């Protein structure tokens, strides 16, 4: 048994197989555990995922301060480093994203999807090219705003599905990496005129062009907080749908310091992040970037591509949907769609190839050392199997969804979109290794809402007889994961996943 303080090799970036994910599995000579910088370890062994990402009853888990500083302030649950404070903050908002409440608020999701359908109906047969990587973020951002704040922002109403919004989301993803490395630049950039910052950091240009929109979203959220606070002070019941702020203000587990309007506004942003956001403080107010809505939107775009590009798969899906959607305007419940095996297989496969968050998610065990031993089914080298590593407490350790999802030992021919792999007898075992929402005490809060969006959106848009989509100058190279910007990204040379509607 060896101690990682002394024995883990230091690898240079050029040693790592990061240009073609498939090459990672021809390079096991690197070992299943490597030190990727002087402070941090990375593990590539699917069986260890459940050992690293554990629930609060197993052990205390911290986030890595270096990793969260790319998101700016840490006064909301997603970016909270402390185990105890995270449990308090998460516990206050988790009920709002329970499956039961998502089902109760399902009509708000359906309303937004129907709004998208109405826009697509107007584009039928016009020859207009629709970019799905721009269209779906508008949908998912409006859904989470409607769900959490009882008011959509209106991205679905914007011309051409607000292409600058998607560009800003991707610029923000790159910005996370940038500010993680150089957090001091955030303070400097906050003091400089925005036109000058656009010249100095052109990769964030779309982000700055969307500044006005983001400030308006910030204002909308803050107004909701103030309105709820005033209503509760006057003992006034909410008109219509309750917002997440009603639950936070009335939660007895939160201290008065945790209920300040400023902190609850930040938590509101992160909720638009549990379905959609990460926050970076780049201006006097928070800079809001809807990146988890981007994660759901990315998954929808990837699945849509594979359905359009594979008519046999689409036909099987539509044959199955015909049993619960007798007319093209039928609206089956999410609970009914979940029972459709082939649709479930398509969504599982879509989550696998789209990956969700592609970045390594570092975790720290502050109290006890961790033990790692390579699993024999994924690492055939007998020397590696026999070796154990002691990971000292306090060491940041990360794993990456892309390496799990494209592991050929688990998923033969991993770059092929094959829903049938989820219909076999080993499907239950394989689901252990699909981790777009991560696992453990820091698992994505918006998972239930994300599944609701995926089922309802795909069933509605691909219902038999409703729409016929044709790809426009789009190939598999526009879909495959090529970059890790915290969120998975296609090639930067891609023009998107473009379709025409008939």
């Amino acid at each position: 048994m060896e101690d990682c303080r002394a024995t883990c090799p230091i690898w240079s970036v050029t040693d790592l197989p990061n240009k073609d994910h498939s090459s990672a599995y021809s390079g096991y000579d690197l070992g299943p555990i490597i030190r990727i910088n002087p402070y941090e370890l990375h593990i590539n062994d699917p069986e260890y995922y459940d050992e690293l990402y554990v629930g609060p009853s197993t052990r205390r888990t911290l986030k890595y301060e270096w990793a969260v500083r790319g998101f700016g302030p840490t006064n909301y649950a997603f970016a909270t480093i402390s185990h105890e404070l995270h449990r308090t903050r998460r516990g206050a908002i988790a009920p709002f994203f329970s499956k039961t409440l998502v089902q109760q608020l399902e009509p708000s999701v359906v309303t937004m999807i129907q709004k998208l359908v109405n826009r697509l109906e107007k584009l039928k047969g016009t020859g207009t090219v629709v970019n799905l990587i721009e269209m779906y973020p508008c949908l998912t951002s409006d859904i989470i705003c409607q769900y959490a704040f009882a008011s959509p922002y209106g991205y679905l109403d914007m011309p051409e599905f607000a292409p600058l919004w998607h560009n800003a989301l991707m610029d923000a993803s790159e910005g996370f990496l940038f500010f993680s490395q150089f957090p001091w630049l955030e303070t400097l950039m906050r003091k400089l005129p925005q036109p000058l910052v656009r010249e100095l950091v052109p990769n964030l240009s779309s982000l700055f062009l969307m500044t006005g929109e983001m400030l308006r979203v910030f204002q909308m959220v803050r107004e909701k907080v103030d309105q709820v606070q005033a209503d509760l002070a006057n003992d006034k019941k909410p008109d219509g749908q309750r917002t997440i702020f009603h639950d936070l203000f009335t939660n007895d587990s939160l201290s008065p310091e945790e209920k300040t309007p400023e902190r609850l506004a930040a938590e509101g942003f992160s909720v638009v992040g549990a379905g959609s956001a990460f926050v970076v403080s780049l201006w006097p107010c928070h800079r809001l970037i809807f990146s988890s809505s981007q994660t759901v939107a990315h998954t929808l775009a990837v699945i849509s591509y594979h359905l359009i590009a594979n008519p046999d798969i689409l036909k099987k899906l539509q044959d199955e949907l015909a049993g619960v959607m007798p007319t093209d305007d039928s609206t089956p419940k999410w609970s009914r769609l979940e029972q459709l095996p082939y649709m479930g297989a398509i969504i599982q496969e879509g989550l696998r190839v789209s990956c969700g968050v592609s970045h390594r998610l570092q975790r720290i065990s502050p109290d006890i050392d961790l033990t790692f031993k390579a699993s024999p089914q994924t690492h055939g080298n007998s020397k590696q199997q026999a070796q154990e590593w002691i990971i000292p407490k306090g060491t940041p350790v990360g794993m990456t969804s892309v390496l799990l999802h494209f592991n050929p030992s688990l998923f033969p021919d991993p770059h092929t979109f094959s829903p049938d792999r989820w219909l076999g007898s080993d499907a239950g075992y394989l689901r252990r290794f699909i981790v777009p929402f991560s696992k453990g005490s820091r698992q994505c809060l918006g998972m239930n809402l994300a599944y609701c969006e995926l089922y309802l959106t795909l069933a509605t848009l691909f219902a038999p007889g409703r729409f016929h989509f044709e790809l426009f100058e789009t190939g598999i190279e526009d879909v495959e994961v090529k970059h890790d910007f915290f969120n998975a990204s296609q090639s930067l040379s891609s023009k998107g996943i473009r379709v025409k509607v008939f």
Side-chain angles (χ1 to χ4, degrees), residues 99 102-103 106 109-110 113 117 136 139-140 143 296 299-300 303-304 307 317 320-321 324-325 330-351 422-423 431 437 446-464 466:
K99 189 168 186 177
V102 171
Q103 289 174 330
E106 186 176 324
V109 178
V110 172
I113 296 173
V117 168
Y136 280 128
L139 172 67
T140 55
I143 283 176
V296 178
T299 302
L300 283 168
I303 294 176
S304 296
L307 290 176
L317 172 64
E320 188 175 64
L321 288 173
V324 295
M325 302 179 74
S330 299
T331 54
K333 296 283 188 181
W334 170 34
S335 58
R336 182 69 185 93
L337 293 172
E338 279 189 306
Q339 300 172 20
L340 302 180
Y342 197 68
M343 184 171 200
I346 286 173
I347 288 175
Q348 283 296 310
E349 186 70 346
L351 290 168
W422 299 102
L423 301 175
R431 284 192 183 93
F437 307 105
M447 180 174 63
N448 290 317
L449 180 59
Y451 273 115
C452 180
E453 292 178 72
L454 291 171
Y455 274 97
L456 292 176
T457 302
L458 292 171
T460 301
L461 296 190
F462 292 95
R466 171 163 276 158

Side-chain angles (χ1 to χ4, degrees), residues 370-402:
L370 302 179
T371 302
F372 171 71
K373 182 178 180 179
S375 58
Q377 62 266 45
T378 51
H379 296 281
N381 184 292
S382 58
K383 182 179 179 180
Q384 291 178 348
Q385 289 179 35
Q387 192 172 10
E388 289 188 357
W389 288 266
I390 298 298
I391 303 173
K393 60 185 178 183
T395 303
V397 184
M399 297 182 69
T400 307
S401 65
V402 178

Side-chain angles (χ1 to χ4, degrees), residues 96 101 104-109 143-152 224 227-228 237-244 246:
F96 201 75
L101 195 57
Q104 290 177 10
L105 295 178
E106 186 176 324
S108 68
V109 178
I143 283 176
I144 187 60
C145 286
Q146 174 65 45
Y147 182 89
F149 311 136
S151 177
K224 289 288 183 182
Q227 177 187 336
V228 170
K237 293 183 178 180
D239 297 326
Q241 179 184 325
R242 284 172 61 91
T243 72
I244 191 171
H246 289 91

Side-chain angles (χ1 to χ4, degrees), residues 258-316:
E258 290 290 298
K259 294 182 180 181
T260 64
E262 293 77 14
R263 201 203 75 79
L264 293 189
E267 197 69 85
F269 283 136
S270 75
V271 162
V272 176
S276 55
F278 74 71
V279 184
V280 180
S281 169
L282 188 55
W283 299 291
C285 70
H286 294 303
R287 171 163 66 89
L288 170 64
I289 306 300
F290 293 161
S291 87
S292 182
S293 74
Q294 175 69 2
T295 302
V296 178
H298 173 70
T299 302
L300 283 168
V302 169
I303 294 176
S304 296
Y305 167 83
H306 286 291
L307 290 176
I308 299 167
N310 296 278
D312 291 344
I313 294 176
L314 177 58
K315 184 178 185 306
K316 287 182 182 179

Side-chain angles (χ1 to χ4, degrees), residues 90-142:
R90 181 184 175 95
I93 58 177
F96 201 75
F97 289 93
S98 68
K99 189 168 186 177
T100 298
L101 195 57
V102 171
Q103 289 174 330
Q104 290 177 10
L105 295 178
E106 186 176 324
S108 68
V109 178
V110 172
T111 298
M112 294 298 103
I113 296 173
Q114 187 56 51
K115 194 171 186 178
L116 173 61
V117 168
N118 293 341
R119 281 204 64 177
L120 291 177
E121 287 284 359
K122 295 177 182 178
L123 297 177
K124 261 186 173 181
T126 63
T128 302
V129 176
V130 178
N131 198 333
L132 300 185
I133 67 169
E134 296 169 353
M135 180 187 80
Y136 280 128
C138 293
L139 172 67
T140 55
S141 296
D142 271 357

Side-chain angles (χ1 to χ4, degrees), residues 50-193:
D50 290 336
E51 298 294 323
L52 181 60
Y53 301 91
V54 296
S57 62
T58 301
R59 65 171 181 269
R60 294 173 68 238
T61 300
L62 309 182
K63 277 199 170 181
Y64 185 26
E65 184 177 1
W66 178 91
V68 300
R69 70 186 183 183
F71 295 106
T74 59
N75 60 341
Y76 56 101
F78 174 80
T80 301
I81 296 171
S82 161
H83 175 84
E84 289 75 18
L85 183 56
H86 173 263
R87 288 197 68 184
T88 298
R89 289 175 172 174
R90 181 184 175 95
I93 58 177
F96 201 75
F97 289 93
S98 68
K99 189 168 186 177
T100 298
L101 195 57
V102 171
Q103 289 174 330
Q104 290 177 10
L105 295 178
E106 186 176 324
S108 68
V109 178
V110 172
T111 298
M112 294 298 103
I113 296 173
Q114 187 56 51
K115 194 171 186 178
L116 173 61
V117 168
N118 293 341
R119 281 204 64 177
L120 291 177
E121 287 284 359
K122 295 177 182 178
L123 297 177
K124 261 186 173 181
T126 63
T128 302
V129 176
V130 178
N131 198 333
L132 300 185
I133 67 169
E134 296 169 353
M135 180 187 80
Y136 280 128
C138 293
L139 172 67
T140 55
S141 296
D142 271 357
I143 283 176
I144 187 60
C145 286
Q146 174 65 45
Y147 182 89
F149 311 136
S151 177
Y153 184 72
Y155 288 104
L156 283 172
D157 297 320
M158 293 184 179
E160 299 179 351
F161 294 109
L164 274 178
W165 181 235
H166 167 75
N167 293 338
L169 296 177
M170 297 313 299
D171 282 354
S173 289
E174 290 190 70
F176 157 76
L177 302 178
F178 185 78
F179 290 116
S180 293
Q181 300 290 344
F182 308 106
W184 55 270
L185 278 175
E186 180 187 322
T187 303
L188 175 62
M189 292 172 67
R190 204 186 301 154
K191 297 177 180 179
L192 295 175

